[in-house]
Every structure is written in structure tokens, then in C-alpha cells.
Amino acid sequence: GAVVSQHPSRVICKSGTSVKIECRSLDFQATTMFWYRQFPKQSLMLMATSNEGSKATYEQGVEKDKFLINHASLTLSTLTVTSAHPEDSSFYICSASPSSGVYNEQFFGPGTRLTVL
Amino acid sequence: QKEVEQNSGPLSVPEGAIASLNCTYSDRGSQSFFWYRQYSGKSPELIMFIYSNGDKEDGRFTAQLNKASQYVSLLIRDSQPSDSATYLCAVNMVTGGGNKLTFGTGTQLKVEL
């Protein structure tokens, strides 16, 4: 149980294009999903908290117009990196917290490695 | 002071030994505590969580929580080379708001043959 998928696993794009990443909870409902970014040899950095049916809450310093988040259902959240630039190249990881969870545990997807040329 | 603090390591232990990973946190009102394992180039994997003072055992892993000292640890018995990874401590802090987790920077564990 508690499986989270992400798609795509790897994407290479040209500077200026937009990239959409999907995060799905496969065997549970998730009222809340989270988006993280991790640069090489650094820790996880929370970008935003996504709640089903409402606007995402962004962490300080994260541009909400650049990183668009949509959480349309209890099993799907998407992150769109708009007008991507080389400095956006990173490992993007989503996590999902079961709606039925009591202790706010989070289960992570396998991550999406984004390379912007 | 960092909100969740871990020694970055690397912590090297011989195969078969007990590995002890430590974590301290700043928010005394924190409710639940998590240990994640992250292999290089992969996403974190939940090992176990604890919310009551004392020990919680799951197979070769034991989590220990001392809320008075604001300290949580993870013991790995009979360490194997496959345990070599970065171990992340995460805390559900009251000041974090809602159900966010605050992560430490992780401790790199190396289990040597």
C-alpha cells in the first residue's frame, strides 16, 4: 500500500518551454500533496503544499507564477514549470499524505529529473 | 539553531554492527517523527515513524523518542551494505503549520564489508 507514482521520470527540454509533472497516489486518497525540489548533494526543499480543490500554499521564495500547481482530485496533483531555464534543472519529488492518516506521514513518488538545456 | 538537526556524516560502520543515527529538533510541541532512507539519485522511502516517548521496533530498525530532550534516534541492527544511504529525519512541527514535515539535512551512512 501507499504507492505514489510520478510521470515523467526524466525530462530534457529547451530553455523557455514549459514542463508538466504528474503525481498520483495509486492506492489511497490524498487530500494533501507536497512538491519538493532537491539539488545535487543537498537536502529536500519544500516548494509548495497542494490541497485538493483549493489553491496551493507556496513556501517563501518560490514563485507561484512559475511553478503552477493543480490538485484536481484526491489522487492527482500536477506541477508545471513554466518558461523553464537551466537554473530550474533539478530533481522534483512529490509526496502524498493519506486523507485517513493520523500522524501526517508522507509517501514519496520516485521523482522527476528535469534538465533544461 | 536549525529546526531539525542531524550530523551529516559520513557515519561508517562495519557490516553486522549497530548503526546509530541521531536527530534533534527545536519545536517542543512537535507531534510525530519520521525516518526516511534515501539512496543516491532516488526519492526518500519511509522507514518508520514514532509519536510516543520510548522505543518502537520494526525488524532491524528501532526508533527512539525522548520528547523532554527533543531527541529522536534510529538504530539499525546487523547493518548490511545495502543499508548504505542517507537517512533523513523529519518532524511534524506545530510551528510548521498543518501537516508539513520539516526535514533535517540527512546523515550519510556507509556500511563497510
Side-chain angles (χ1 to χ4, degrees), chain B residues 4-5 9-10 17 23 26 30 37 39-40 48-49 60 62-63 69 73-74 81-83 92-94 99 101:
Chain B
V4 178
E5 203 149 356
C23 172
S26 61
S30 298
R37 176 174 62 196
Y39 292 111
S40 181
M48 62 190 305
F49 64 90
R60 295 187 296 114
T62 299
S69 300
S73 65
L74 179 70
S82 58
D83 294 326
N92 179 218
M93 305 175 85
V94 174
N99 50 5
L101 295 183

mmCIF file of all heavy atoms in Angstrom, chain B residues 4-5 9-10 17 23 26 30 37 39-40 48-49 60 62-63 69 73-74 81-83 92-94 99 101:
data_model
loop_
_atom_site.group_PDB
_atom_site.id
_atom_site.type_symbol
_atom_site.label_atom_id
_atom_site.label_comp_id
_atom_site.label_asym_id
_atom_site.label_seq_id
_atom_site.Cartn_x
_atom_site.Cartn_y
_atom_site.Cartn_z
ATOM 1 N N VAL B 4 15.527 21.181 12.550
ATOM 2 C CA VAL B 4 15.784 19.746 12.670
ATOM 3 C C VAL B 4 17.249 19.544 12.323
ATOM 4 O O VAL B 4 17.680 19.902 11.228
ATOM 5 C CB VAL B 4 14.893 18.917 11.720
ATOM 6 C CG1 VAL B 4 15.222 17.432 11.852
ATOM 7 C CG2 VAL B 4 13.419 19.165 12.026
ATOM 8 N N GLU B 5 17.984 19.019 13.255
ATOM 9 C CA GLU B 5 19.428 18.946 13.085
ATOM 10 C C GLU B 5 19.934 17.496 13.083
ATOM 11 O O GLU B 5 19.554 16.693 13.939
ATOM 12 C CB GLU B 5 20.106 19.737 14.214
ATOM 13 C CG GLU B 5 21.489 20.203 13.877
ATOM 14 C CD GLU B 5 21.864 21.519 14.563
ATOM 15 O OE1 GLU B 5 21.010 22.123 15.250
ATOM 16 O OE2 GLU B 5 23.006 21.942 14.383
ATOM 17 N N GLY B 9 27.587 13.383 8.661
ATOM 18 C CA GLY B 9 28.395 12.194 8.450
ATOM 19 C C GLY B 9 29.528 12.460 7.465
ATOM 20 O O GLY B 9 29.936 13.607 7.286
ATOM 21 N N PRO B 10 30.073 11.404 6.796
ATOM 22 C CA PRO B 10 29.514 10.065 6.803
ATOM 23 C C PRO B 10 29.785 9.294 8.095
ATOM 24 O O PRO B 10 30.814 9.492 8.722
ATOM 25 C CB PRO B 10 30.198 9.392 5.617
ATOM 26 C CG PRO B 10 31.486 10.119 5.458
ATOM 27 C CD PRO B 10 31.227 11.528 5.897
ATOM 28 N N ALA B 17 27.356 -4.592 12.450
ATOM 29 C CA ALA B 17 27.343 -3.734 13.641
ATOM 30 C C ALA B 17 26.014 -2.984 13.742
ATOM 31 O O ALA B 17 25.173 -3.040 12.853
ATOM 32 C CB ALA B 17 28.504 -2.748 13.571
ATOM 33 N N CYS B 23 19.046 12.707 15.838
ATOM 34 C CA CYS B 23 18.353 13.878 15.312
ATOM 35 C C CYS B 23 17.818 14.688 16.488
ATOM 36 O O CYS B 23 17.264 14.111 17.437
ATOM 37 C CB CYS B 23 17.213 13.397 14.410
ATOM 38 S SG CYS B 23 16.069 14.654 13.821
ATOM 39 N N SER B 26 13.798 21.509 17.310
ATOM 40 C CA SER B 26 13.675 22.721 18.123
ATOM 41 C C SER B 26 12.276 22.953 18.694
ATOM 42 O O SER B 26 12.145 23.582 19.750
ATOM 43 C CB SER B 26 14.085 23.940 17.291
ATOM 44 O OG SER B 26 13.226 24.075 16.167
ATOM 45 N N SER B 30 6.249 19.458 18.879
ATOM 46 C CA SER B 30 6.182 18.551 17.727
ATOM 47 C C SER B 30 5.473 17.255 18.093
ATOM 48 O O SER B 30 5.602 16.741 19.205
ATOM 49 C CB SER B 30 7.594 18.240 17.228
ATOM 50 O OG SER B 30 8.231 19.420 16.791
ATOM 51 N N ARG B 37 14.762 6.857 4.361
ATOM 52 C CA ARG B 37 16.032 6.444 3.767
ATOM 53 C C ARG B 37 16.040 6.911 2.307
ATOM 54 O O ARG B 37 15.063 6.747 1.589
ATOM 55 C CB ARG B 37 16.162 4.913 3.810
ATOM 56 C CG ARG B 37 17.399 4.342 3.143
ATOM 57 C CD ARG B 37 17.490 2.848 3.382
ATOM 58 N NE ARG B 37 16.357 2.136 2.803
ATOM 59 C CZ ARG B 37 16.020 0.891 3.115
ATOM 60 N NH1 ARG B 37 16.716 0.220 4.009
ATOM 61 N NH2 ARG B 37 14.985 0.308 2.539
ATOM 62 N N TYR B 39 18.429 6.591 -1.104
ATOM 63 C CA TYR B 39 19.594 6.150 -1.863
ATOM 64 C C TYR B 39 19.956 7.239 -2.862
ATOM 65 O O TYR B 39 19.095 8.010 -3.294
ATOM 66 C CB TYR B 39 19.299 4.846 -2.586
ATOM 67 C CG TYR B 39 19.119 3.656 -1.665
ATOM 68 C CD1 TYR B 39 17.878 3.047 -1.489
ATOM 69 C CD2 TYR B 39 20.201 3.118 -0.967
ATOM 70 C CE1 TYR B 39 17.711 1.961 -0.648
ATOM 71 C CE2 TYR B 39 20.049 2.037 -0.118
ATOM 72 C CZ TYR B 39 18.803 1.465 0.039
ATOM 73 O OH TYR B 39 18.639 0.385 0.877
ATOM 74 N N SER B 40 21.214 7.264 -3.239
ATOM 75 C CA SER B 40 21.701 8.283 -4.160
ATOM 76 C C SER B 40 20.903 8.276 -5.466
ATOM 77 O O SER B 40 20.743 7.230 -6.098
ATOM 78 C CB SER B 40 23.188 8.037 -4.456
ATOM 79 O OG SER B 40 23.683 9.020 -5.328
ATOM 80 N N MET B 48 10.104 4.311 9.123
ATOM 81 C CA MET B 48 9.183 4.187 10.249
ATOM 82 C C MET B 48 8.925 5.551 10.860
ATOM 83 O O MET B 48 9.624 6.516 10.573
ATOM 84 C CB MET B 48 9.726 3.223 11.303
ATOM 85 C CG MET B 48 11.027 3.606 11.949
ATOM 86 S SD MET B 48 11.702 2.241 12.967
ATOM 87 C CE MET B 48 10.342 1.880 14.060
ATOM 88 N N PHE B 49 7.889 5.612 11.679
ATOM 89 C CA PHE B 49 7.610 6.846 12.388
ATOM 90 C C PHE B 49 7.282 6.517 13.839
ATOM 91 O O PHE B 49 6.948 5.379 14.187
ATOM 92 C CB PHE B 49 6.482 7.646 11.737
ATOM 93 C CG PHE B 49 5.133 6.964 11.755
ATOM 94 C CD1 PHE B 49 4.260 7.159 12.801
ATOM 95 C CD2 PHE B 49 4.744 6.163 10.695
ATOM 96 C CE1 PHE B 49 3.011 6.544 12.807
ATOM 97 C CE2 PHE B 49 3.506 5.553 10.686
ATOM 98 C CZ PHE B 49 2.636 5.744 11.753
ATOM 99 N N ARG B 60 14.818 -4.864 11.838
ATOM 100 C CA ARG B 60 16.162 -4.474 12.296
ATOM 101 C C ARG B 60 16.233 -3.017 12.745
ATOM 102 O O ARG B 60 17.278 -2.559 13.188
ATOM 103 C CB ARG B 60 17.177 -4.701 11.167
ATOM 104 C CG ARG B 60 17.374 -6.153 10.770
ATOM 105 C CD ARG B 60 18.519 -6.325 9.770
ATOM 106 N NE ARG B 60 18.277 -5.664 8.501
ATOM 107 C CZ ARG B 60 18.979 -4.624 8.052
ATOM 108 N NH1 ARG B 60 19.973 -4.118 8.774
ATOM 109 N NH2 ARG B 60 18.710 -4.101 6.866
ATOM 110 N N THR B 62 15.012 0.293 15.032
ATOM 111 C CA THR B 62 14.379 0.760 16.265
ATOM 112 C C THR B 62 14.449 2.276 16.296
ATOM 113 O O THR B 62 15.530 2.845 16.179
ATOM 114 C CB THR B 62 15.076 0.193 17.521
ATOM 115 O OG1 THR B 62 14.997 -1.221 17.514
ATOM 116 C CG2 THR B 62 14.411 0.739 18.784
ATOM 117 N N ALA B 63 13.291 2.909 16.420
ATOM 118 C CA ALA B 63 13.257 4.360 16.604
ATOM 119 C C ALA B 63 13.106 4.643 18.090
ATOM 120 O O ALA B 63 12.388 3.935 18.796
ATOM 121 C CB ALA B 63 12.092 4.967 15.826
ATOM 122 N N SER B 69 14.022 15.730 25.928
ATOM 123 C CA SER B 69 15.328 16.147 25.394
ATOM 124 C C SER B 69 15.239 16.595 23.941
ATOM 125 O O SER B 69 16.255 17.007 23.367
ATOM 126 C CB SER B 69 16.327 15.000 25.512
ATOM 127 O OG SER B 69 16.489 14.616 26.855
ATOM 128 N N SER B 73 16.106 9.119 17.604
ATOM 129 C CA SER B 73 17.206 8.377 17.004
ATOM 130 C C SER B 73 16.681 7.159 16.264
ATOM 131 O O SER B 73 15.535 6.730 16.450
ATOM 132 C CB SER B 73 18.222 7.958 18.068
ATOM 133 O OG SER B 73 17.626 7.038 18.968
ATOM 134 N N LEU B 74 17.544 6.629 15.417
ATOM 135 C CA LEU B 74 17.241 5.405 14.670
ATOM 136 C C LEU B 74 18.414 4.459 14.833
ATOM 137 O O LEU B 74 19.554 4.838 14.555
ATOM 138 C CB LEU B 74 17.016 5.705 13.190
ATOM 139 C CG LEU B 74 16.708 4.486 12.310
ATOM 140 C CD1 LEU B 74 15.323 3.937 12.619
ATOM 141 C CD2 LEU B 74 16.827 4.841 10.829
ATOM 142 N N PRO B 81 25.549 -3.863 3.863
ATOM 143 C CA PRO B 81 25.991 -2.882 2.845
ATOM 144 C C PRO B 81 24.815 -2.207 2.145
ATOM 145 O O PRO B 81 24.913 -1.041 1.758
ATOM 146 C CB PRO B 81 26.810 -3.745 1.890
ATOM 147 C CG PRO B 81 27.360 -4.828 2.756
ATOM 148 C CD PRO B 81 26.262 -5.144 3.743
ATOM 149 N N SER B 82 23.695 -2.924 2.020
ATOM 150 C CA SER B 82 22.520 -2.343 1.365
ATOM 151 C C SER B 82 21.850 -1.253 2.207
ATOM 152 O O SER B 82 20.983 -0.527 1.705
ATOM 153 C CB SER B 82 21.484 -3.430 1.059
ATOM 154 O OG SER B 82 21.096 -4.086 2.249
ATOM 155 N N ASP B 83 22.268 -1.125 3.460
ATOM 156 C CA ASP B 83 21.754 -0.033 4.301
ATOM 157 C C ASP B 83 22.484 1.279 4.026
ATOM 158 O O ASP B 83 22.093 2.334 4.541
ATOM 159 C CB ASP B 83 21.905 -0.378 5.792
ATOM 160 C CG ASP B 83 21.039 -1.558 6.219
ATOM 161 O OD1 ASP B 83 19.923 -1.707 5.666
ATOM 162 O OD2 ASP B 83 21.478 -2.334 7.093
ATOM 163 N N ASN B 92 6.985 16.576 12.302
ATOM 164 C CA ASN B 92 5.740 17.328 12.105
ATOM 165 C C ASN B 92 5.676 18.345 13.240
ATOM 166 O O ASN B 92 5.305 18.009 14.368
ATOM 167 C CB ASN B 92 4.546 16.379 12.145
ATOM 168 C CG ASN B 92 3.213 17.097 11.964
ATOM 169 O OD1 ASN B 92 2.216 16.761 12.582
ATOM 170 N ND2 ASN B 92 3.188 18.113 11.133
ATOM 171 N N MET B 93 6.076 19.573 12.921
ATOM 172 C CA MET B 93 6.210 20.594 13.943
ATOM 173 C C MET B 93 4.950 21.432 14.023
ATOM 174 O O MET B 93 4.373 21.775 12.999
ATOM 175 C CB MET B 93 7.413 21.492 13.615
ATOM 176 C CG MET B 93 8.701 20.706 13.421
ATOM 177 S SD MET B 93 10.075 21.739 12.908
ATOM 178 C CE MET B 93 10.637 22.324 14.483
ATOM 179 N N VAL B 94 4.571 21.785 15.193
ATOM 180 C CA VAL B 94 3.382 22.610 15.374
ATOM 181 C C VAL B 94 3.570 23.949 14.686
ATOM 182 O O VAL B 94 2.671 24.469 14.039
ATOM 183 C CB VAL B 94 3.091 22.819 16.876
ATOM 184 C CG1 VAL B 94 1.946 23.800 17.075
ATOM 185 C CG2 VAL B 94 2.777 21.495 17.533
ATOM 186 N N ASN B 99 0.103 19.995 8.233
ATOM 187 C CA ASN B 99 0.724 18.686 8.171
ATOM 188 C C ASN B 99 2.053 18.684 7.431
ATOM 189 O O ASN B 99 2.468 17.678 6.911
ATOM 190 C CB ASN B 99 -0.250 17.704 7.530
ATOM 191 C CG ASN B 99 -0.816 18.250 6.222
ATOM 192 O OD1 ASN B 99 -0.403 19.298 5.766
ATOM 193 N ND2 ASN B 99 -1.749 17.531 5.635
ATOM 194 N N LEU B 101 6.030 18.533 6.954
ATOM 195 C CA LEU B 101 7.153 17.937 7.649
ATOM 196 C C LEU B 101 8.378 18.822 7.448
ATOM 197 O O LEU B 101 8.594 19.341 6.364
ATOM 198 C CB LEU B 101 7.448 16.536 7.118
ATOM 199 C CG LEU B 101 6.381 15.461 7.325
ATOM 200 C CD1 LEU B 101 6.879 14.113 6.802
ATOM 201 C CD2 LEU B 101 6.003 15.350 8.793
#
